[in-house]
Amino acid sequence: MFMDLHMHSNYSDGKHTPEEMIEAAIGIGYEAMAITDHVWKSSPWVPAYAAHLQTLKRKYRHRIRLYSGIEAKVVSLDGDIDADPSFDALVDLILGSIHRIPKPDGYYSTADGDRLPRRAIIEHWLEAFCRMLENPRVDIIAHPLSELKKFGIREEELPMAEITDRIAASGKILELNVRYNTPDQSVIRLSAQKGTAFLISSDSHTVRDLVLNSRLVKEFTGGGFRLVDIDRYVREKKNCPPPISGS
Ligand SMILES: [Zn+2]
Ligand SMILES: [Zn+2]
């Protein structure tokens, strides 16, 4: 299925409304899409956002399959995410991402990059990443490993076999993010061998990004990856029966 399940609207830091993103996605020819705005534990707008997307699902149901989602960043080494648990039932998909690498007393800062011990950064990243994989609230691992690049840490320095084993064992969906061009080839290759399900995302913040990046999304979609059956995934997650045809 030609789809893009990671993009932002003006509910968070995107430029355009959900309707504008949906119309653009239909224009590109996507069969399915998700709007996945950034949230924080304290975001008061999430119920209204989820209700709005619910209305849009109905409005556009004959033109595109719309999923609702949120992107929540990992806030601590124990893999906790920055989303109130009450949000979980309101949306179809939760993207987990590491935007800043946690340490016991906060986060690593790229401003101190050169002075920081690389081993500690890698160990703390690995701990937070693996605990996120164990977090049952997370469905999709968004832009995996992208945050390590900010510290100049390359895939050769990481235990790739262990990381990809853990991704496969978690059963979570691995995102190929064309905006950040991540994860690296070795993660993709090993994860494909280990049976991990992929999805290709643009992580767009504007209609222009959505259109420009759709070419790469299309290219990767035809690249032989085992893509997740998102309709089935969401139905199973929400314990819903298959849709009645014609409804
Ligand atoms: Zn992100
Ligand atoms: Zn994003």
Side-chain angles (χ1 to χ4, degrees):
M1 189 186 281
F2 184 36
M3 61 187 179
D4 186 350
L5 301 180
H6 183 168
M7 68 187 74
H8 301 278
S9 78
N10 59 1
Y11 273 91
S12 61
D13 60 350
K15 279 265 190 311
H16 296 100
T17 63
E19 287 87 341
E20 288 167 328
M21 297 303 273
I22 293 167
E23 293 284 354
I26 291 168
I28 291 162
Y30 281 123
E31 297 161 84
M33 66 182 290
I35 294 180
T36 55
D37 273 302
H38 299 282
V39 297
W40 295 262
K41 280 186 177 159
S42 56
S43 296
W45 47 268
V46 173
Y49 163 76
H52 186 188
L53 294 183
Q54 205 58 36
T55 308
L56 296 176
K57 276 186 199 184
R58 283 193 294 275
K59 178 177 172 187
Y60 289 99
R61 71 182 182 279
H62 297 304
R63 300 174 70 198
I64 196 164
R65 205 170 301 165
L66 173 67
Y67 297 98
S68 57
I70 51 177
E71 178 178 3
K73 63 190 179 295
V74 170
V75 289
S76 52
L77 288 170
D78 63 6
D80 188 24
I81 54 172
D82 200 355
D84 190 87
S86 68
F87 300 165
D88 297 12
L90 302 176
V91 293
D92 300 318
L93 296 166
I94 297 185
L95 280 60
S97 53
I98 298 182
H99 281 181
R100 289 189 295 167
I101 299 173
K103 56 182 181 173
D105 57 343
Y107 298 96
Y108 288 102
S109 163
T110 44
D112 311 316
D114 293 342
R115 282 173 289 142
L116 291 170
R118 293 167 81 80
R119 271 238 66 78
I121 300 174
I122 292 171
E123 271 167 27
H124 284 139
W125 173 83
L126 196 57
E127 187 176 344
F129 186 77
C130 291
R131 296 300 297 275
M132 172 177 70
L133 293 177
E134 292 165 9
N135 185 336
R137 300 177 62 199
V138 172
D139 299 296
I140 296 166
I141 311 159
H143 49 74
L145 288 75
S146 62
E147 55 290 340
L148 290 167
K149 290 186 180 164
K150 295 176 197 158
F151 293 92
I153 293 168
R154 300 181 319 276
E155 57 180 313
E156 296 80 32
E157 299 173 69
L158 300 167
M160 282 303 168
E162 184 195 341
I163 291 169
T164 50
D165 273 347
R166 284 178 181 255
I167 292 171
S170 76
K172 297 197 188 302
I173 305 161
L174 187 66
E175 176 188 81
L176 301 192
N177 186 302
V178 306
R179 171 183 159 99
Y180 290 103
N181 189 22
T182 186
D184 291 310
Q185 285 303 318
S186 63
V187 180
I188 296 173
R189 186 170 38 79
L190 289 170
S191 291
Q193 283 167 11
K194 293 171 186 179
T196 295
F198 291 91
L199 58 78
I200 323 292
S201 305
S202 73
D203 202 349
S204 294
H205 288 66
T206 63
V207 161
R208 185 182 145 82
D209 284 350
L210 193 66
V211 173
L212 286 177
N213 289 329
S214 64
R215 259 177 295 146
L216 277 172
V217 173
K218 189 164 205 164
E219 205 175 291
F220 280 104
T221 299
F225 300 101
R226 184 173 81 80
L227 297 178
V228 66
D229 179 342
I230 197 65
D231 181 50
R232 183 169 163 189
Y233 179 90
V234 171
R235 267 193 283 113
E236 285 179 355
K237 178 184 171 186
K238 304 219 146 196
N239 267 322
C240 292
I244 301 157
S245 54
S247 68

